[in-house]
Amino acid sequence: MHTLFRGGRVFTATGSFAEAVLVRDGVIVAVGSESDLVRQAPAHETVDLEGGLLMPGVTDAHIHPVQAGLEHAKCDLSEIYGLDEYLAAIRTYADGCDKEWIDGGGWDMSAFPGGLPHRSRLDFLDRPAYLIQRDHHAAWVNTRALERAGITRDTPDPADGRIERDADGSPSGVLHEGAMDLVGLLTPRPTTDDMDTALVTAQRHLFSLGITGWQDAIVGSYAGSDDQLPTYISAAGAGRLKARVVGALWWDRTRGADQIASLIERRAMAEGLDRFSAGSVKIMQDGITENFTAAVLEPYCLCGGTGLSYIDPCKLREYVAELDANGFQVHFHAIGERAVREALDSFEGTSPDNRHHIAHLQIIEPSDVRRFAALGVTANLQPLWATHHAQMDELTLPYLGEERSAWQYPFADLERSGARFCAGSDWPVSNADPIQGMHVAVNRTEPGGSVHAGYPTAGTPFLPGQRLSLATAMTAYTAGSAWINRSPAGVIEQGRPADLVVLDRDPFGLPEAEIWTAKVRLTFVDGEAVYQR
């Protein structure tokens, strides 16, 4: 039996709109006018769009679902804001469980003076505490956790991280980047069932947001988290994984090219699976601006230093060339303009056929913008961050300076240069809702209802000259990200899988300031409804 989607507008992600879509056996068989499609299939079931929009399923090109699922089952601070609220939630969680550790996360740096909470605020707990920061580049720990790990004023900083310290040199309770592992690896390990439940729970949530595929941006052991590869392989093999997923295998920055052989073996473990493959490698080249670990070209204002390049740029070129020669896609984390340049440099001479991409791209030195198109490198956008909010205004702008601050999230400049886009959320670092991401890409302001919506400058557009059109933003989340994943979905045209999303209203017909109000009503994978509101 055919299914006819009608009664609204269809965004095809091919540069055009349509009136109706006909589906049979999970495949799109026709796109066009309702009258034409009815003539093709007089006997059909109907999905009434009720004046809303039919769009392709979203592929999130940079996300951490298993980690999100695990964290939401622990002490979850991601939906609240402020020290008092954090402490109340931590106390409630601790009172309700008898776990050996209090672990979880989601706290925001901007809730604390200088972005730094102190261990003493957690010392009311009778157990060690390890709480990951919202961006996953730092952890807040208490005195018991530091003692359990043997961290004292004499403990040196690891090469790829920093132990925050009080004036007398004692650890203050914040561990940055690679220093997180000093405590994180001591926390209780999730069981196989915990990991599987986290993935299934995350998939259910993502379906509710219209996300039908993704690229997991760290498949491996990092910052105290366990390797997710067995979880994905098990779920795909058993049919629990219904989304189309690519795993980006984690590049261990403490090792060199010797790990490529093991990456090839890990990629082979996923061969033959219908819903999961592991042909991408994730390289984190720097940290974040807020703790001054993002790699920049000129010193940070007020505090000095130029951040961290986790991999020597000369060696990076060798590693990327070898990964490329072995058919891997390379997925970079690059925040600072030096890290972006180092990533682009490493792609010189590589094959565009491997669909390499750089995520985050907070700061791009203007002369590097045109290099994305020239090298065939895709810009992987996380639009939600491109607004005025406390972390931006208080912990970033003063330290970047006026000129460099204006280089942030240059979406429109990239588009004018001919760069290809994909897009994602980095959930649980930020909200997974792609409609909110599209809203920010278009408006460069906080969506209504966001945790930062009440911030004084949240309604002031952030570098408004870098706005994108809604069509461009939606295409990045659909066709662009599906292309990165080599997914057959992401576009509404004949012969494609019927991975489709029905929105309750047409955001193209709304004032731009109201794009965020559109919500998912139905989500389909291969023509099967996997979510209904």
Side-chain angles (χ1 to χ4, degrees), residues 137-328:
H137 289 267
W140 179 18
V141 299
N142 63 0
T143 301
R144 287 177 181 267
L146 292 166
E147 290 172 347
R148 183 75 65 90
I151 300 173
T152 69
R153 71 178 67 194
D154 298 320
T155 303
D157 290 341
D160 61 346
R162 186 174 79 248
I163 300 168
E164 202 67 45
R165 301 175 191 271
D166 290 333
D168 66 356
S170 301
S172 67
V174 174
L175 307 173
H176 298 285
E177 306 294 340
M180 296 167 67
D181 278 349
L182 299 176
V183 172
L185 292 177
L186 302 179
T187 60
R189 300 295 87 199
T191 66
T192 299
D193 286 346
D194 290 338
M195 299 280 280
D196 187 69
T197 298
L199 175 57
V200 172
T201 301
Q203 177 177 247
R204 186 183 310 119
H205 176 64
L206 297 175
F207 283 161
S208 77
L209 300 175
I211 297 168
T212 58
W214 62 80
Q215 184 160 147
D216 191 314
I218 298 179
V219 174
S221 299
Y222 164 72
S225 66
D226 287 11
D227 182 15
Q228 306 91 338
L229 184 60
T231 304
Y232 276 116
I233 290 173
S234 173
R240 294 187 298 274
L241 185 65
K242 296 183 180 295
R244 305 177 197 277
V245 180
V246 169
L249 303 175
W250 176 242
W251 179 271
D252 184 346
R253 58 197 183 216
T254 68
R255 299 172 59 191
D258 61 293
Q259 67 187 288
I260 293 177
S262 66
L263 292 171
I264 293 171
E265 292 175 359
R266 284 166 63 77
R267 177 176 62 184
M269 292 168 63
E271 288 180 0
L273 294 173
D274 180 45
R275 296 286 158 166
F276 179 74
S277 62
S280 187
V281 172
K282 166 68 175 297
I283 297 178
M284 186 178 288
Q285 183 58 7
D286 69 344
I288 57 173
T289 57
E290 294 84 0
N291 65 9
F292 318 120
T293 57
V296 292
L297 292 169
E298 299 295 333
Y300 286 97
C301 303
L302 306 179
C303 64
T306 57
L308 300 174
S309 291
Y310 289 134
I311 302 173
D312 176 89
C314 293
K315 293 180 179 178
L316 184 65
R317 293 190 188 202
E318 298 173 13
Y319 302 156
V320 170
E322 189 169 346
L323 289 168
D324 179 72
N326 279 283
F328 279 107

Side-chain angles (χ1 to χ4, degrees), residues 330 332-345 347-348 350-352 355-381 407 409-411 413-422 483-484:
V330 178
F332 266 104
H333 162 118
I335 293 281
E337 74 273 17
R338 189 177 84 236
V340 173
R341 178 170 293 176
E342 289 166 353
L344 289 168
D345 288 347
F347 286 134
E348 293 281 357
T350 60
S351 172
R355 307 188 186 191
H356 304 304
H357 49 126
I358 306 176
H360 307 327
L361 302 169
Q362 180 170 347
I363 314 168
I364 308 178
E365 201 279 329
S367 67
D368 285 324
V369 168
R370 59 179 175 77
R371 299 180 66 198
F372 284 82
L375 292 170
V377 174
T378 297
N380 188 335
L381 312 181
W407 298 346
Y409 306 114
F411 301 161
D413 287 347
L414 286 163
E415 183 181 28
R416 283 188 287 266
S417 75
R420 181 187 286 270
F421 287 151
C422 63
W483 184 86
I484 278 293

Side-chain angles (χ1 to χ4, degrees), residues 104-153:
W107 55 274
D108 195 312
M109 292 181 71
S110 64
F112 301 94
L116 299 171
H118 197 270
R119 58 183 163 81
S120 61
R121 304 313 297 259
L122 296 176
D123 282 347
F124 67 89
L125 295 166
D126 61 355
R127 285 160 280 177
Y130 178 81
L131 300 167
I132 297 175
Q133 176 231 5
R134 186 186 301 269
D135 285 353
H136 287 66
H137 289 267
W140 179 18
V141 299
N142 63 0
T143 301
R144 287 177 181 267
L146 292 166
E147 290 172 347
R148 183 75 65 90
I151 300 173
T152 69
R153 71 178 67 194

